[in-house]
Amino acid sequence: MNQSRSRTPRRSDATRTAILDAARERFAADGYDRATIRAIARDANIDPSMVMRYYGNKEGLFAAAVAIDLKLPDPASLSPDRAGQALVTHFLTMWERNEVLTALLRVGATNEAGAERMQGIFADQLLPLALRVCPDPEQAPARAALASSQLLGLALTRYVLRFPPAVALAPEEIVAWLAPTVQRYLTAPHPA
């Protein structure tokens, strides 16, 4: 193998990166329905045909642009009695640093492809954590959905709708308010 090839990034990699960066910004700013391949290509300073070449269509581009690894704590390393605090702290840190999550939330609330993407992230990444900490594995999907309702509700009010009181809360306050509720959803006895 030619070693110079392995050290030098290929031009196609730079083009893909430019397209994905432009797509993330455009989807965040305009939402899924109003974002266009032409606008994304213009933002990336390339021809629209290149976007189609790499991603096929708008749906393919969206899926690639919002491929998100939540980097959740390893379920095996998570203490069940601290799961709520760990999740709220982790999600808050992710939302503060990652505008792609905000874009995905906006699109997920208004578009079927976005909703399906959010559901996939939920099933693949959050559900395994809930399975590990909840007392009854059969209840894990419902418990994970309830925890998600709190986390996504916070994200909606703080990062999308930007309710002034939600924006003004310090991260420590959010964790103090939300962690006990998320903890209860994940580990408390079933209320029946």
Side-chain angles (χ1 to χ4, degrees), residues 66-152:
V66 296
I68 295 175
D69 179 359
L70 296 176
K71 297 177 178 50
L72 292 174
D74 176 14
S77 71
L78 192 61
S79 169
D81 63 331
R82 307 278 294 159
Q85 182 177 358
L87 271 179
V88 173
T89 301
H90 182 79
F91 271 91
L92 188 58
T93 301
M94 291 287 294
W95 286 105
E96 292 285 328
R97 296 181 184 163
N98 192 336
E99 290 181 14
V100 174
L101 289 172
T102 303
L104 184 57
L105 182 59
R106 279 189 183 117
V107 173
T110 61
N111 177 274
E112 187 175 334
E116 287 174 4
R117 191 76 183 120
M118 292 284 283
Q119 291 165 11
I121 291 168
F122 167 82
D124 296 342
Q125 298 182 46
L126 186 59
L127 190 54
L129 191 141
L131 280 165
R132 167 82 168 101
V133 301
C134 81
D136 181 349
E138 288 184 21
Q139 297 172 359
R143 289 171 177 262
L146 289 168
S148 293
S149 73
Q150 295 300 303
L151 297 166
L152 294 175

Side-chain angles (χ1 to χ4, degrees), residues 11-12 15-16 19 37 41 45-56 61:
R11 196 174 348 183
S12 63
T15 301
R16 286 178 195 267
I19 293 168
I37 295 292
N45 204 24
I46 60 164
D47 188 87
S49 66
M50 293 301 288
V51 176
M52 303 304 279
R53 174 179 171 204
Y54 289 122
Y55 299 102
L61 176 60

Side-chain angles (χ1 to χ4, degrees), residues 160-176:
V160 176
L161 301 174
R162 304 197 49 79
F163 288 4
V167 172
L169 286 170
E172 306 80 39
E173 288 179 282
I174 293 170
V175 172

